[in-house]
Amino acid sequence: MKDKKRPLSVAIDGPSGAGKSTIARMLARELGFLYVDTGALYRTIGYAVLQGGGDPADQAAVEALLPTLSIRLAQQEDGQHVFLGGEDVNGKIRTPEVSMAASRVSAFPAVRAFLLDIQRDTAKSISIIMDGRDIGTVVLPDADLKVFLTASAEVRARRRFDELAEKGTAVTYDEVLKDMTQRDYDDSHRDIAPLREAEGAVRVDSSDLTLEQSAAVIRRLVESLQPPADQT
Ligand code: DC
């Protein structure tokens, strides 16, 4: 049983569209934890490369860009915001182009090293739920709870398509499924920190669950880490 006063860390990893960010945000609100969306950091680097007219697959060019970037996470009333220099990029990093660029740059070791400290520093003093691809394997290998949240590619593509359609983005379901399958492959086959289940992770398949049901499963796991109030 854990010391009640020590900050708890929950790592949620899994492929895109499994519901990680929605579920993690929901749980963080319910439990009073900080939610950290690490994908937004990779997206911000992808966005910066595209803004500069660069090619996200050009490793040397991406590496050369890193020292010029200042990336900061800020917690505001409506949740996490990422700043690139002085610019709040939250509203700009969810496009299909930035998704693909993020996946490309995330394969470069220098990019992962650049973002590691930002992620670890955030987890030092406060209970957090952090989601990504390598949180349980690399960023927080000692997390109190590690969850691998997954769902079938078709279900994940449908969810992402509905999200994009709601925002008015002009894409077809087939394009979203193709992009997702490509990103799954790239994310799990890269040499460094590939997407895989961490040792000791609990696997949750959300294909046949609503977001609320998946959140409830993970919530029970978090609550089992904390001693009941009458035993402290
Ligand atoms: O979770 P997301 O779709 O916002 O992530 C965007 C890209 O960033 C994704 O293709 C993989 C990469 N990523 C990563 O490599 N490691 C993380 N911890 C989070 C995201």
Side-chain angles (χ1 to χ4, degrees), residues 134-202:
D134 63 338
I135 309 306
T137 51
V138 177
V139 180
L140 303 174
D142 297 326
D144 298 283
L145 173 67
K146 301 178 198 176
V147 174
F148 192 82
L149 184 67
T150 188
S152 72
E154 290 72 19
V155 168
R156 290 185 289 115
R158 170 61 57 191
R159 289 178 186 160
R160 186 52 59 91
F161 171 72
D162 288 345
E163 246 173 62
L164 291 168
E166 200 170 300
K167 284 192 220 152
T169 312
V171 281
T172 65
Y173 168 79
D174 286 342
E175 283 164 353
V176 176
L177 179 61
K178 187 164 162 269
D179 268 18
M180 192 155 275
T181 311
Q182 179 68 48
R183 280 213 291 151
D184 281 357
Y185 184 87
D186 292 345
D187 291 347
S188 51
H189 286 81
R190 64 183 176 219
D191 291 338
I192 179 161
L195 172 65
R196 62 176 173 79
E197 237 169 292
E199 218 181 293
V202 181

Side-chain angles (χ1 to χ4, degrees), residues 12-17 20-21 35 37-43 93-94 98-107 112 115 119 130-135 139 160 183-184 186-187 190 192-195:
I12 303 185
D13 290 304
S16 27
K20 294 187 302 292
S21 57
Y35 165 57
D37 164 13
T38 65
L41 296 169
Y42 291 89
R43 287 174 179 273
I93 55 174
R94 304 279 156 201
V98 174
S99 298
M100 201 47 89
S103 181
R104 293 272 183 272
V105 301
S106 71
R112 308 203 70 85
L115 294 177
Q119 297 172 81
M130 190 176 273
D131 81 5
R133 303 294 187 291
D134 63 338
I135 309 306
V139 180
R160 186 52 59 91
R183 280 213 291 151
D184 281 357
D186 292 345
D187 291 347
R190 64 183 176 219
I192 179 161
L195 172 65

